[in-house]
Amino acid sequence: MHPVTAEVTRRIVERSRESRADYVARMDAARGQSPGRGKLSCANWAHAFAAQPEGDKVRMRDPSAPNVAIVSAYNDMLSAHQPYERFPDIIRKAAREAGATAQYAGGVPAMCDGVTQGRPGMELSLFSRDVIAMSTAVALTHDAFDAALMLGICDKIVPGLFIGAAAFGHLPVIFVPGGPMTSGISNAEKARVRALYAEGKATRDELLDSEMKSYHGPGTCTFYGTANSNQMMMEMTGLHLPGAAFVTPNTPLRDALTAYAPKRAVEIRDGTNGYAPFYQVIDEKSLVNAIAGLLATGGSTNHTLHILAMARAAGVQITWEDMDDLSKVTPLIARVYPNGSEDVNAFHAAGGMAFVTRQLLDAGLAHEDVMTVAGQGLRRYTQEPFLDGGKLVWRDGPAASLDRDILRPVDDPFQPNGGMRLLTGPLGRAVLKTSAVKPEHRVIEAPALVFEDQDELLAAHKRGELNRDFVAVVRFQGPKANGMPELHSLTPPLGVQLDKGFRVALVTDGRMSGASGKVPAAIHVTPEAADGGPLAYVRNGDIIRLDAETGRLEIKVDERELMAREAARCAPSGFGYGRELFGWMRRAAGPADTGACALFEAA
């Protein structure tokens, strides 16, 4: 192992000793009571399969016959999840062939961040993760299953499914992806038209035509945002079948992988020699592997939030410092849009996850000695699936990159460190995605322009007030203020100013999309402004220095002078579902805590 990877893993293990032991003990106790239906009363169990076909009923009368849960995020609104409409029938048929049954145990909500970007619904996006986690637990709480299949891909959905599944970690759990849509117009062309529209040089019809040529069919969006970062991580943790992440929907290979998932789940259930429950697949080492994959591929900054929460659900305590230290030694070996010009389909064709996994293992940057749903050892994930006469088999993936503009070996990376950096300083702690930012834009010192929400910044851009060097401070965008929406709508106007030659950066207690790039952005600033953080004291004209090279986020104002100022207040302006919902909950609970957003202080 690389000494830094080994040391970070060691300290995570030590830090997590008590919480991890408690989690494992709870899962061991739950295992001792399974299979669930074996202890259900006859009335309980009859309820559970009353509506099943007669053939399934005969099999389900046998307490030893395996039963597989399906938890799905299917809906028609998400192109990535629309293919899941077909999956339950494929899974049920395959389960019967394996001498088992499969039941659709429950659905989880799945909103599309692409539809809600810049809209009031985005205020519920991050919090939907916890609703999804609870919905997953509700689906599994019937305690009648030997294994579970998680059907989900995008943004908060995979983390939510993961957290919910962790509560039932004594079960084997396999995540079943749907794959990316086929490639549309080039990402460069899409970005060009967006920039023209931001400058008022393209019409709405021209913009819509361009977007429809990009988002044109079933499957995930093909850029490397949070959705596709999720798929990478599920492979690196061993919760996918090897090579399953980036096979396009509605193809024979995709269907074959879907059909194999319940069969494999049956093979690794409790009572078999291959027992591989979630709580043994997910541990400190597999989570470090997920981080290594995220850094090596320049994945989504959203996972600086999600990985910590996912790990905690399995009793593992990870910090931003752990991720930052790993980033310093994990080279960036992939460039996928927005970090490069090509999409995930090109990444997959160039060698994809099999190549990335092999490189990280060979360099000692990932742990091989882990349990996976495919068997012991991550080396299994250096293989890729294919059909041989209609039969699903695996072969060794490429040992060399098939396109060095997209994938490179660790000894000749795109940059020597990973795609993220932790920033600290008088303004708090933040993360910055470096993989998409050119080196010449990674250090900026300029006057602050302060905005209370993204609409203010967009309006200033339309008025032509941003033709200057500046650091945009967009505050009151954290969880306590309005739910921490993504601020991806700011990328085009800030990018326009960057292209004009101005020195531009963003500092915010909100989030940026996993698809954001180009503009240096210190995001997730904590403590947030609504919680009394230093951002609440920043004024227009204050000189701010953002330095991704040294990891500093500074304001050229004496700290005592800064904190002596009157703090800005989070105004209850604008229409937002998050503000409305959280305001209702706060009012129902009684007076708001001191220092909370003014909206919540209403009687």
Side-chain angles (χ1 to χ4, degrees), residues 477-536:
Q477 304 301 306
K480 290 189 176 181
N482 63 352
M484 206 179 192
E486 289 182 347
L487 304 176
H488 186 55
S489 297
L490 302 182
T491 299
L494 292 176
V496 166
Q497 302 309 121
L498 201 66
D499 291 341
K500 289 179 179 179
F502 295 111
R503 306 283 292 168
V504 177
L506 173 68
V507 175
T508 180
D509 49 10
R511 296 184 294 132
M512 293 295 280
S513 166
S516 299
K518 187 176 180 177
V519 178
I523 59 176
H524 310 168
V525 174
T526 182
E528 65 176 284
D531 203 27
L535 286 189

Side-chain angles (χ1 to χ4, degrees), residues 12 69 72 83 117 121 148 160 195 225 230 269 296 303 322 353 364 366 372 392 395 427 434 462 479 560 570:
I12 292 172
S72 177
Q117 275 304 336
N230 282 336
R269 73 187 189 279
H303 285 301
D322 296 329
M353 287 307 304
T372 78
L392 179 64
R395 62 188 172 197
L427 288 179
T434 61
K462 290 180 180 179
R560 286 174 294 182
C570 178

Side-chain angles (χ1 to χ4, degrees), residues 68 91 93-95 97-98 149 174 258-269:
V68 179
I91 291 168
K93 180 177 183 293
E97 291 172 356
L149 304 181
I174 299 177
T258 301
Y260 187 68
K263 295 177 180 178
R264 182 59 187 166
V266 168
E267 292 173 350
I268 60 175
R269 73 187 189 279

Side-chain angles (χ1 to χ4, degrees), residues 287-312:
L287 289 162
V288 167
N289 288 348
I291 296 170
L294 187 74
L295 297 169
T297 58
S300 171
T301 52
N302 277 316
H303 285 301
T304 60
L305 302 174
H306 296 318
I307 287 178
L308 273 60
M310 294 160 70
R312 188 63 63 90

Side-chain angles (χ1 to χ4, degrees), residues 438-460:
K438 293 180 178 179
E440 59 266 30
H441 296 151
R442 293 179 186 174
V443 180
I444 177 173
E445 184 173 308
L449 289 181
V450 182
F451 304 94
E452 309 302 330
D453 59 41
Q454 60 183 325
D455 292 335
E456 285 189 6
L457 190 153
L458 293 171

Side-chain angles (χ1 to χ4, degrees), residues 87-424:
F87 280 29
D89 284 341
I90 296 173
I91 291 168
R92 292 187 192 101
K93 180 177 183 293
R96 292 178 188 125
E97 291 172 356
T101 51
Q103 292 181 290
Y104 190 103
V108 303
M111 61 180 286
C112 181
D113 287 6
V115 175
T116 56
Q117 275 304 336
R119 304 295 304 149
M122 177 52 72
E123 293 188 357
L124 292 182
S125 175
L126 181 59
F127 285 91
S128 74
R129 183 191 72 192
D130 302 312
V131 177
I132 292 163
M134 182 64 75
S135 300
T136 302
V138 169
L140 296 179
T141 202
H142 295 100
D143 204 17
F145 306 107
D146 298 271
L149 304 181
M150 300 289 135
L151 279 55
I153 293 177
C154 294
D155 299 272
K156 269 58 63 184
I157 300 156
V158 164
L161 290 168
F162 183 106
I163 293 168
F168 295 83
H170 62 291
L171 297 176
V173 176
I174 299 177
F175 278 69
V176 184
M181 70 176 69
T182 56
S183 300
I185 63 170
S186 72
N187 290 301
E189 174 63 14
K190 178 177 66 176
R192 184 187 72 83
V193 177
R194 285 181 176 179
L196 289 174
Y197 182 75
E199 295 181 86
K201 297 178 181 179
T203 67
R204 183 176 175 83
D205 280 346
E206 290 171 332
L207 177 64
L208 180 59
D209 183 62
S210 172
E211 297 294 332
M212 288 179 65
K213 290 176 181 176
S214 178
Y215 308 112
H216 63 89
T220 61
C221 307
T222 60
F223 57 79
Y224 194 49
T226 309
N228 288 316
S229 297
N230 282 336
Q231 304 315 300
M232 175 281 303
M233 288 203 317
M234 291 303 96
E235 298 231 358
M236 291 300 298
T237 57
L239 287 173
H240 267 183
L241 296 176
F246 300 123
V247 177
T248 52
N250 304 321
T251 60
L253 181 56
R254 175 86 277 155
D255 287 354
L257 285 163
T258 301
Y260 187 68
K263 295 177 180 178
R264 182 59 187 166
V266 168
E267 292 173 350
I268 60 175
R269 73 187 189 279
D270 198 1
T272 67
N273 292 331
Y275 179 52
F278 179 96
Y279 83 105
Q280 293 180 18
V281 171
I282 298 302
D283 63 7
E284 297 89 344
K285 290 182 178 180
S286 64
L287 289 162
V288 167
N289 288 348
I291 296 170
L294 187 74
L295 297 169
T297 58
S300 171
T301 52
N302 277 316
H303 285 301
T304 60
L305 302 174
H306 296 318
I307 287 178
L308 273 60
M310 294 160 70
R312 188 63 63 90
V316 179
Q317 299 182 39
I318 292 173
T319 68
W320 280 356
E321 285 78 9
D322 296 329
M323 301 181 78
D324 190 52
D325 285 348
L326 289 171
S327 186
K328 292 172 184 175
V329 300
T330 305
L332 183 71
I333 61 173
R335 280 210 183 278
V336 189
Y337 186 82
N339 305 331
S341 61
E342 300 299 329
D343 66 11
V344 294
N345 292 315
F347 165 80
H348 184 63
M353 287 307 304
F355 176 83
V356 168
T357 304
R358 185 188 305 276
Q359 288 295 310
L360 292 175
L361 286 173
D362 289 350
L365 296 166
H367 296 276
E368 204 283 328
D369 56 334
V370 293
M371 179 182 289
T372 78
V373 298
Q376 190 65 36
L378 190 63
R379 187 68 60 175
R380 180 75 173 79
Y381 287 73
T382 64
Q383 296 185 311
E384 60 184 12
F386 73 104
L387 293 177
D388 183 6
K391 182 181 179 182
L392 179 64
V393 294
W394 275 265
R395 62 188 172 197
D396 288 341
S401 171
L402 302 179
D403 188 334
R404 292 177 69 91
D405 290 333
I406 302 171
L407 277 173
R408 290 187 182 178
V410 294
D411 59 3
D412 183 28
F414 293 103
Q415 65 184 48
N417 43 42
M420 294 183 192
R421 188 69 198 264
L422 172 65
L423 305 180
T424 60

